[in-house]
């Protein structure tokens, strides 16, 4: 079974930065890509970014391109989401999830579908004040 634990959320002013981390179980990256999602009150869970650590493929939602960067440390089984130039619309609970790598091979069609994720972390709150 895969375990995911997020950390790094908090309160930041507009224009500021935060770095989120997702610690995963050992060998998770053998079979899974890791995605970041966010969910604001009253809204659906939204895909933010995804990485397949074995081949370094990365995907981003249009709303965060150029501001957010996803990366992985394969030795530490960790995925990081660096978030820069944050704005109040980025306020949400952020979750990391695990999706079978087959869904991300050479395609960006599926990574943003939360129904395809098998495991989720507990979430971390990100609040951006104006």
């Amino acid at each position: 079974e895969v375990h995911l634990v997020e950390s790094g959320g908090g309160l930041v002013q507009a224009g500021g930065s935060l770095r989120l981390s997702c610690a995963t179980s050992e060998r998770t990256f053998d079979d899974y890509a890791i995605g970041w999602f966010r969910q604001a009150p009253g809204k659906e869970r939204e895909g933010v970014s995804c990485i397949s650590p074995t081949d370094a493929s990365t995907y981003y939602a249009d709303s965060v391109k150029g501001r957010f960067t996803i990366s992985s440390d394969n030795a530490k089984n960790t995925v990081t989401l660096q978030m820069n130039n944050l704005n109040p619309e980025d306020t949400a609970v952020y979750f990391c999830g695990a999706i079978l790598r087959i869904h991300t091979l050479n395609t960006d069609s599926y990574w943003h579908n939360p129904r395809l994720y098998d495991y989720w972390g507990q979430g971390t709150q990100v609040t951006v004040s104006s």
Side-chain angles (χ1 to χ4, degrees):
E1 186 171 339
V2 173
H3 294 281
L4 306 170
V5 180
E6 302 96 336
S7 61
L11 172 65
V12 66
Q13 289 188 330
S17 299
L18 282 174
R19 178 177 294 182
L20 304 183
S21 292
C22 176
T24 74
S25 308
E26 194 170 336
R27 305 192 68 84
T28 295
F29 297 164
D30 291 353
D31 299 316
Y32 289 93
I34 303 298
W36 282 98
F37 284 71
R38 62 188 181 188
Q39 189 164 19
K43 294 189 176 181
E44 294 185 353
R45 192 166 292 194
E46 172 193 22
V48 174
S49 184
C50 181
I51 186 168
S52 179
T54 55
D55 60 22
S57 298
T58 58
Y59 306 96
Y60 295 94
D62 288 343
S63 59
V64 306
K65 280 181 182 176
R67 300 189 298 125
F68 292 11
T69 302
I70 193 169
S71 61
S72 67
D73 185 332
N74 294 13
K76 296 182 178 180
N77 303 304
T78 301
V79 170
T80 297
L81 185 68
Q82 176 67 42
M83 306 187 296
N84 297 329
N85 193 21
L86 286 161
N87 58 63
E89 290 70 36
D90 296 316
T91 295
V93 178
Y94 283 69
F95 300 87
C96 63
I99 181 173
L100 286 171
R101 288 199 299 119
I102 192 172
H103 294 306
T104 65
L105 287 175
N106 301 314
T107 179
D108 62 354
S109 299
Y110 306 112
W111 71 267
H112 47 77
N113 183 348
R115 297 183 181 86
L116 294 177
Y117 284 71
D118 294 324
Y119 302 97
W120 292 97
Q122 81 287 352
T124 185
Q125 177 70 47
V126 171
T127 303
V128 184
S129 63
S130 57

